[in-house]
Amino acid sequence: MNRQDQIGLLKRLLHYVDNRTTAMADAPWRNDVSVYTDANHFAREQQVLFRRHPILMGFASEWSEPGAFRTDDYCGVPVMVVRGRDGKLRAFLNVCRHRGAKVAAGCGKARMFACPYHAWTYDLSGKVLGGGASPTSAVFRTCVPSGRRLPSCRCARSMAWCG
């Protein structure tokens, strides 16, 4: 929103406060039933509301100790927020780099995270520690071509915003 639109909106809102009124429509708004039942409409809403903007996972204080973590699944994107041993709050896609399985569930405190399929393990900073294949083997390097970490998300400071 440009600055002129912001100023105009604020003036209109202040007018409503001064006159103890609200913005009233000329007629009631009516939604077609398909708005609530159409799968394509639902998918568009999820894309616009949850995938284009950061999602608030919580306040940073909710992850007070190293190893504190919480997982969630927003619109099909599994996310994990964890406090590292260095005190830094990080957000990752909650998926193993090998087969895509979730490496954590729910919330709690952990020293590391492990994939349930081949026991690939990750430290609190998302770094692969080991697993079904040695980190130095050709199999491992083939399975993790873009790095030896969990895929990361952006995470802010006092509040854990992911996106």
Side-chain angles (χ1 to χ4, degrees):
M1 180 181 294
N2 69 42
R3 183 147 175 78
Q4 289 300 332
D5 290 341
Q6 288 174 342
I7 291 170
L9 180 60
L10 287 172
K11 285 181 178 181
R12 195 166 88 210
L13 291 172
L14 289 172
H15 170 77
Y16 295 147
V17 170
D18 291 343
N19 293 297
R20 296 177 183 251
T21 188
T22 61
M24 298 295 289
D26 294 333
W29 178 265
R30 300 198 187 279
N31 277 333
D32 189 271
V33 173
S34 66
V35 170
Y36 304 102
T37 59
D38 182 41
N40 290 330
H41 185 85
F42 179 62
R44 276 194 316 277
E45 280 187 341
Q46 285 188 317
Q47 181 68 31
V48 169
L49 297 174
F50 301 112
R51 295 264 179 110
R52 290 186 183 169
H53 306 287
I55 301 289
L56 178 64
M57 293 287 292
F59 292 99
S61 60
E62 295 176 48
W63 295 270
S64 58
E65 301 176 33
F69 75 94
R70 187 169 76 219
T71 65
D72 217 316
D73 192 345
Y74 287 111
C75 297
V77 179
V79 176
M80 174 174 60
V81 177
V82 62
R83 175 80 61 189
R85 284 186 178 81
D86 59 0
K88 186 174 180 183
L89 193 61
R90 294 177 176 88
F92 302 104
L93 292 180
N94 185 16
V95 293
C96 179
R97 295 304 298 257
H98 185 223
R99 295 289 184 207
K102 292 181 179 180
V103 298
C107 61
K109 189 171 178 184
R111 293 183 326 187
M112 69 178 84
F113 302 98
C115 175
Y117 287 110
H118 298 105
W120 283 40
T121 55
Y122 300 85
D123 70 11
L124 301 180
S125 70
K127 181 181 174 188
V128 175
L129 298 174
S134 165
T136 59
S137 74
V139 171
F140 184 90
R141 287 191 305 275
T142 301
C143 292
V144 190
S146 63
R148 294 188 174 94
R149 297 191 167 280
L150 288 171
S152 64
C153 305
R154 291 174 296 189
C155 194
R157 296 199 317 206
S158 63
M159 290 189 255
W161 292 90
C162 299

